[in-house]
Structure formats: structure tokens, C-alpha cells
Amino acid sequence: LLPFLIFALVALACRSPVPESQAVIPAAEPSPASGPIQGSIAPPEPPASPDAAAEDPILVQARAVLAVRAERIPEPERERLAQTLVETERKGGPSVLLLVALIEHESRFDPRAKGPRGSLGLMQVRPFVGEDVAGRIDLPWQGAKTLLDPVANIRIGSAYLAELLERFGSRDLALAAYNIGPTRLARRLARGDDRSPAFVGLVLREYQGLHREFASTEIGIGG
């Protein structure tokens, strides 16, 4: 019996180990940090923070102007007006500050203001002018009440002023035409009368005050 036990022990000692490539290694548990297991549904990404995207600096500045000059208008409506003014400037129309100066002089930011000659709204547009301009800019016209919508009023008034700027080639002359009408101004100029109505000086004085208070060459607002 003893020789047999010795033989068995010697045989075990000489047995070759199992190569590592053939060894059975228990599967490791997936790490929580290694992402979802293949075939599973990944959890939804958390919503982006509202502050993640940088604000449009011109829009920020327009909001600041309206917060001071149009404080009687409710904030949601002011936001719509700010976006409309910025859109106008971005598309090459009159600058935000020039439009604010004009509105300040014309209506003191009263959306329901009515002038003695039938002009209406923020920019004091007369209905026959409003209808004509609305047709050119594809804005639905629903009669004079369209001009009592502050956003529609600014879109029509700013488009009209842009047309006058292009026609007369000068900010002063465009404002004069806005005040007395382009036909009347053209007749004045034809007979050599280039005097500006008092309206022009009042609007430009308001514009210069706004420019000193709010304009920033770094973001380009003010024109």
C-alpha cells in the first residue's frame, strides 16, 4: 500500500497546470460607471439648463430699454415687442433705439393711442398707410384694429420707416416723411424747401438720450 501512495503523490506533483487561456474566469459584474449594457435602453438625458445657451446680447439690451420706457406694458407683451424690434434691426431695418425713440415721441408706449388725424397704436400709423404696408410685408390686415396689436403696429411702422429711409436716403428726411407724408415732403424738396419739421428734432433728441443711456458699441445695438 505504501508504494502505491508514493506513486500517486508523484503523479499529481508532475501533472501540468491548466494554461491561463483555457482557465474559466467568472464573469465580472458590469460597473455602474461603464454605461448601459448592450441591448438595454439608456436613461434619457437631463433637460438642458435655460442658462446653458448664451443670450442674444441685442435682445438683452432691447429688454433693458423696454423695461424702463415701456414699464406699463405687461412683461410678456414687452418680450414680444423686444423680439420684434430686434428682428427689425437684424434684417437691416431701423435700429432698436431709433424705433424706441419714435414710439416714445408718438405714443409714450400706449398701444391704444389715437391721434387727431386717425393714427393708431404705438407708432401712430394711419389705417390707409397700414393697409398698404401690411400688403407689402404679407401681414394679415383686419382693418384698423390691426394697428392696435402692438406687434403688428411695430412691424408695419418699422417697415414703413425702412421704406422712407431707402427712398430719401437720410434718417432726417425719412423721419420728416414719416411725420408729414412722403408726397408732401417731396413737393417741399422740389421747391427747395429742406427745412425739417420740429418732429424730427424731438425724435432725434430722444434717440440721442437713449443712445447715451443704452447703446453699446460692443454688441452693435443703436445703429
Side-chain angles (χ1 to χ4, degrees):
L1 180 59
L2 183 59
F4 176 77
L5 290 174
I6 293 173
F7 176 78
L9 290 172
V10 172
L12 286 173
C14 295
R15 188 175 177 183
S16 300
V18 178
E20 290 184 8
S21 60
Q22 298 178 11
V24 178
I25 302 174
E29 290 293 328
S31 169
S34 62
I37 301 173
Q38 188 175 0
S40 67
I41 299 175
E45 292 290 331
S49 167
D51 298 329
E55 289 271 29
D56 180 343
I58 294 184
L59 181 57
V60 170
Q61 198 80 332
R63 287 171 179 157
V65 175
L66 294 183
V68 174
R69 301 295 173 144
E71 58 182 355
R72 293 179 298 174
I73 297 178
E75 196 280 330
E77 192 68 29
R78 284 206 313 268
E79 177 64 20
R80 292 177 64 215
L81 297 182
Q83 293 184 10
T84 303
L85 291 167
V86 171
E87 180 184 0
T88 296
E89 180 171 327
R90 290 286 195 197
K91 290 182 177 179
S95 72
V96 169
L97 294 186
L98 182 60
L99 290 174
V100 169
L102 182 55
I103 294 169
E104 178 76 18
H105 179 74
E106 290 281 54
S107 67
R108 294 294 186 268
F109 278 95
D110 178 2
R112 306 194 71 80
K114 296 182 180 180
R117 294 186 298 167
S119 54
L120 296 170
L122 291 177
M123 295 187 68
Q124 290 292 282
V125 180
R126 297 175 75 181
F128 77 91
V129 174
E131 183 176 11
D132 187 40
V133 175
R136 290 198 291 276
I137 63 174
D138 296 325
L139 189 149
W141 179 255
Q142 298 177 331
K145 67 179 182 180
T146 302
L147 296 174
L148 298 178
D149 174 355
V151 169
N153 189 286
I154 287 180
R155 288 187 61 194
I156 291 171
S158 62
Y160 182 49
L161 182 58
E163 291 175 359
L164 296 175
L165 284 163
E166 183 175 357
R167 175 176 174 178
F168 291 98
S170 151
R171 182 180 59 190
D172 290 24
L173 290 177
L175 288 172
Y178 193 94
N179 177 234
I180 66 174
T183 301
R184 187 177 172 190
L185 177 65
R187 288 173 182 165
R188 279 192 181 187
L189 294 174
R191 60 176 185 261
D193 183 358
D194 59 356
R195 292 174 299 167
S196 293
F199 170 90
V200 175
L202 293 171
V203 172
L204 290 180
R205 189 180 309 159
E206 181 68 31
Y207 169 74
Q208 289 160 3
L210 287 166
H211 204 278
R212 285 192 298 269
E213 186 175 357
F214 294 103
S216 169
T217 55
E218 292 180 1
I219 64 174
I221 190 170

